[in-house]
Amino acid sequence: MRLSLTDRCDLACVYCRPGRDEAYVERCLDVDAWDAMVAGLVESGVRRVRFTGGEPLLHRDVVEVVRRVAANRAIEDIALTTNGTRLAKLARPLHDAGLRRITVSLDSLREDRFARMTRGGDLAGVLAGIDAACAAPFDEIKLNAVVVKDENDDELEALTRFAWERGITPRFLEVMLIGEGAKMEGRVVSGAAMRRALSHLLEADEARRDPDRGPAKYVAARHDPRLRVGFITGTSDTYCAGCDRLRVSAEGTLRPCLATNDGVPAEASARAGDARGIAHAVAEAWRMKPDGATFKGCTEESASGVSIRAIGG
Ligand code: SAM
């Protein structure tokens, strides 16, 4: 289950948002409502959650929300995905609150390119955040880079070496044709092409998924089997058929699919502390989940009308 703590973001990546001036939801769930939401999710059988957004570190109580979820004995695994802009300050408090796995999005190590791809982001701040995460130390740090043709597709090796030197697992993502990404069909670099670009560093074996760990497929480094690179091919292979994810958006709506605007409201149940009502909404959202055999999310026309930032990427 992916929990979107806020739909706000302090970056505006070119494949995610049209600019910085979109409207945000006014009523993000607070700590108590998230507590109730998670109790309802647990009642439905949820055991693994990832905080995302928007940018989850912009929720003013993110550390407290993480602390409470980490203290919930029924939850077996928590993780968080961030753009890293506030991580220099928050890595240690998040670790102290019980977070052990973190993914940082970083598309470029070049200041000017990073600023262009994020529409004004400051690379130095994100690198300081990654340093803080390494020092915390988290059990697992992953780095997500979306690869855009004729922009950062010449940086796969540099990003891989940067990550490996720090014990981080780099993962390269195809641009998904959702929301803003739907305008970028000509800029998609396929997972196969990414793999070819890194072939001198990687074993020739077939890329493999980690069981129950999402759609990324990994290949080991030639020189050290402990190091890996992941590929997330959300466009050349939408993996809809095997998708077992649900999302909760920032205002408490259960979302069955990243590529549609469908949802089941559960805000009132969360604010009332009604775990049963939430479990009911989960069951309903699960029933609405598109059938992977007939629906290929990212290739549907409807996917261009949704916002990954708002649904919770
Ligand atoms: N703000 C956090 C961050 O930057 O990681 C979490 C939310 S962000 C929507 C989650 C991930 O989705 C990021 O790694 C981002 O690069 C990725 N993403 C957003 N739009 C995408 C698209 N059209 N195709 C592929 N990945 C996308």
Side-chain angles (χ1 to χ4, degrees), residues 15-16 52-55 81-83 105 144 146 174-176 308:
Y15 44 75
C16 187
T52 180
E55 172 46 41
T81 301
T82 175
N83 64 24
S105 299
N144 273 2
V146 178
E174 292 178 354
V175 174
M176 286 188 293
I308 290 184

Side-chain angles (χ1 to χ4, degrees), residues 102-136:
I102 196 159
T103 299
V104 184
S105 299
L106 177 67
D107 295 341
S108 177
L109 293 164
R110 298 190 196 169
E111 216 173 322
D112 55 336
R113 182 179 282 173
F114 181 82
R116 193 164 56 236
M117 292 186 78
T118 57
R119 294 199 184 88
D122 170 36
L123 176 64
V126 175
L127 296 182
I130 292 173
D131 285 345
C134 292

